[in-house]
Amino acid sequence: MKLTEHMMEQNRDDLLKIAGEIGMQFPPNADTEELRRLVTETLLKPDIVASQLVTLTDSQIALFERACEEGMFLPEQSELEDSFAVEDTHCAFPYEKTEEREPLNFMTLLKEGKKDPEDAVRKLTETFQKMAEVYLSVPEEIAAVYREVSTPEFQRRRHISSWLTVCLDVCGILYAITPVPVLARVYALKEPVEEEELRQALSLLPHTDDGWVYDKDGDRVICRPMEEREIQSVLERQGDSEFHLPKLEDMENLSTGYYPFTIPAYDNFRLFLKEYCGKNNWDADGAVSELWERLLREKNDLEGDLQWMVDQTGADMKVMPLIVRLYENCMKNTPCTLYRGCTRAEMALPIDALNFQEKRFDLGFDMDAPKIRIGRNEPCPCGSGRKYKKCCGR
């Protein structure tokens, strides 16, 4: 498929979105056809192709190169996440093949299902998989430009930049403002890199207006959208506290917005949601990730957070001591920007007393929610290791 053919399928809003994401300048009065021509020409510039692909990981660039060679191919299920990342570059596109297929007779399938349920489920699954076949396609013009820019120097820069973007996301969560030497230490959790090589990569790395900013004069990266007054406020509050490095196994999750799987407090909350609140894996993961994001904001909205916990769990007054303990454990073990990635537990800092009854919070309880039933002799879901009756169930 040619790039011009793909561009013909884009409406004006699509073209404006692409133009903004590749940093393209265009006349404000350009009509749709003129805009389509300008976007097509810009996407074929070597520096644009290089800048769009420079943050792809090794596995992602391998998919892109395969699509360059074959024109298009159908990614495996395990490759879909990487395939979506490649599509986001605007150098590759999803392409849905339309084929004549025999219509599925659901009545026949239901009858067959009574005899052999597993076979019926298999046929149904195969049918929907065929209906959803979306190929990864690279236009031949872009493939030709890529072969031109794919030098050893570019591949080295891409290799550094792909991990660097993960490091910048993580540093934004943990520190907000990161000196380049500290960024190099975070990067080195995976592989060593020279600080000067990192500075060069930062200078060339594309970024959006709502992302990070490389401050060359200060030899630091502002990893969040911040005004100068906010930057100074954060630095004053952080003082001379040490930078706490993350665990390598947590960094991919941190970068994509998920909670770190190595924090037991969050795993205890997830297990509680599944075993006692009837949530499936998807809903439990979503709830735990949302709590992680709430606590990262450091808003100190205790009443709002506890109301959220009640809404998520369907808790009543009887199990509130357990709910408060689960929340407290997560709060203690969530890294704080104020302490440059350290947790309150690591800093041995006292937490504002979470005595629910003394604070007289006006929480709303769902009287129709199923009751949470925990056996008195069961291990307490808070993770203390004690029986429920001798812990949060007292």
Side-chain angles (χ1 to χ4, degrees):
M1 187 177 188
K2 290 185 174 293
L3 180 60
T4 50
E5 295 173 6
H6 175 76
M7 286 294 117
M8 289 302 295
E9 299 175 359
Q10 311 303 307
N11 60 35
R12 184 175 180 82
D13 288 341
D14 295 331
L15 295 168
L16 289 172
K17 182 174 182 291
I18 295 172
E21 291 179 353
I22 62 177
M24 189 191 91
Q25 301 295 323
F26 58 91
N29 60 346
D31 60 25
T32 302
E33 288 307 313
E34 176 69 4
L35 185 60
R36 182 175 286 114
R37 182 185 65 79
L38 291 172
V39 169
T40 302
E41 290 178 355
T42 303
L43 282 174
L44 292 176
K45 292 181 178 179
D47 60 326
I48 295 297
V49 171
S51 67
Q52 292 302 110
L53 300 175
V54 75
T55 58
L56 293 185
T57 64
D58 291 346
S59 59
Q60 291 163 359
I61 202 70
L63 292 184
F64 178 79
E65 290 176 347
R66 180 181 171 187
C68 285
E69 293 301 317
E70 300 179 17
M72 68 176 67
F73 75 96
L74 183 64
E76 300 290 338
Q77 189 72 28
S78 60
E79 297 172 330
L80 287 180
E81 189 172 340
D82 280 343
S83 178
F84 296 149
V86 174
E87 291 171 11
D88 287 342
T89 65
H90 302 302
C91 292
F93 308 97
Y95 180 77
E96 185 172 357
K97 283 190 175 181
T98 56
E99 298 177 1
E100 291 293 331
R101 299 190 182 99
E102 184 179 344
L104 184 66
N105 190 321
F106 283 96
M107 293 305 298
T108 301
L109 195 61
L110 286 173
K111 290 178 182 178
E112 292 178 357
K114 293 179 181 179
K115 300 176 183 177
D116 190 348
E118 290 186 5
D119 185 59
V121 170
R122 180 184 59 78
K123 288 181 179 178
L124 188 61
T125 302
E126 288 177 353
T127 299
F128 280 110
Q129 284 177 338
K130 289 179 180 178
M131 291 170 62
E133 284 185 350
V134 179
Y135 289 66
L136 182 65
S137 169
V138 174
E140 55 191 64
E141 307 100 312
I142 288 183
V145 176
Y146 174 69
R147 285 189 282 270
E148 176 186 337
V149 302
S150 181
T151 62
E153 293 77 12
F154 168 78
Q155 294 299 345
R156 173 60 181 167
R157 176 185 159 203
R158 180 199 56 75
H159 180 77
I160 291 175
S161 298
S162 61
W163 179 240
L164 178 56
T165 55
V166 173
C167 295
L168 289 169
D169 288 338
V170 172
C171 289
I173 292 170
L174 300 182
Y175 319 132
I177 302 162
T178 312
V180 170
V182 174
L183 180 61
R185 289 170 58 198
V186 174
Y187 188 101
L189 292 172
K190 183 177 181 181
E191 59 186 38
V193 66
E194 296 291 334
E195 287 183 16
E196 197 53 46
E197 196 170 21
L198 210 56
R199 291 184 180 94
Q200 183 179 5
L202 285 168
S203 299
L204 298 173
L205 194 65
H207 59 276
T208 58
D209 293 338
D210 60 349
W212 54 271
V213 175
Y214 175 36
D215 175 11
K216 290 184 180 180
D217 294 336
D219 198 30
R220 63 187 182 180
V221 182
I222 314 301
C223 300
R224 301 179 186 173
M226 303 170 71
E227 296 181 356
E228 184 60 34
R229 182 174 58 181
E230 187 180 0
I231 293 172
Q232 295 307 317
S233 174
V234 169
L235 290 174
E236 288 174 8
R237 293 169 62 205
Q238 290 178 335
D240 58 356
S241 57
E242 294 290 328
F243 288 87
H244 182 81
L245 299 186
K247 295 179 180 178
L248 177 61
E249 57 266 35
D250 286 337
M251 289 187 63
E252 291 289 353
N253 281 345
L254 285 169
S255 175
T256 53
Y258 289 102
Y259 72 99
F261 294 153
T262 59
I263 300 181
Y266 282 93
D267 280 336
N268 290 334
F269 180 45
R270 181 182 184 277
L271 192 62
F272 174 73
L273 290 169
K274 287 182 60 181
E275 294 194 358
Y276 296 100
C277 305
K279 290 189 180 289
N280 57 34
N281 287 332
W282 180 270
D283 291 338
D285 284 341
V288 177
S289 293
E290 186 173 348
L291 177 61
W292 166 255
E293 291 178 1
R294 292 178 72 93
L295 293 178
L296 279 177
R297 296 182 200 132
E298 302 177 32
K299 296 295 185 183
N300 297 318
D301 180 15
L302 182 55
E303 183 172 2
D305 287 344
L306 288 180
Q307 180 64 65
W308 179 88
M309 294 282 286
V310 168
D311 294 340
Q312 288 293 320
T313 60
D316 56 17
M317 184 67 73
K318 183 178 178 180
V319 297
M320 275 309 296
L322 170 60
I323 299 300
V324 170
R325 180 68 61 81
L326 288 167
Y327 173 81
E328 180 183 21
N329 289 344
C330 289
M331 177 190 278
K332 283 180 179 178
N333 291 282
T334 301
C336 304
T337 301
L338 178 61
Y339 309 123
R340 285 178 167 156
C342 280
T343 66
R344 293 174 176 85
E346 290 166 333
M347 297 288 289
L349 294 172
I351 292 182
D352 185 25
L354 292 178
N355 192 313
F356 163 72
Q357 293 179 331
E358 285 185 7
K359 288 185 177 293
R360 301 177 182 274
F361 289 142
D362 184 22
L363 301 183
F365 296 94
D366 184 358
M367 297 296 108
D368 296 326
K371 298 294 182 184
I372 297 175
R373 303 190 184 280
I374 306 170
R376 289 179 53 75
N377 289 313
E378 292 182 27
C380 187
C382 76
S384 66
R386 291 176 289 178
K387 291 183 179 181
Y388 180 60
K389 66 182 181 183
K390 294 186 177 180
C391 191
C392 296
R394 286 185 295 183

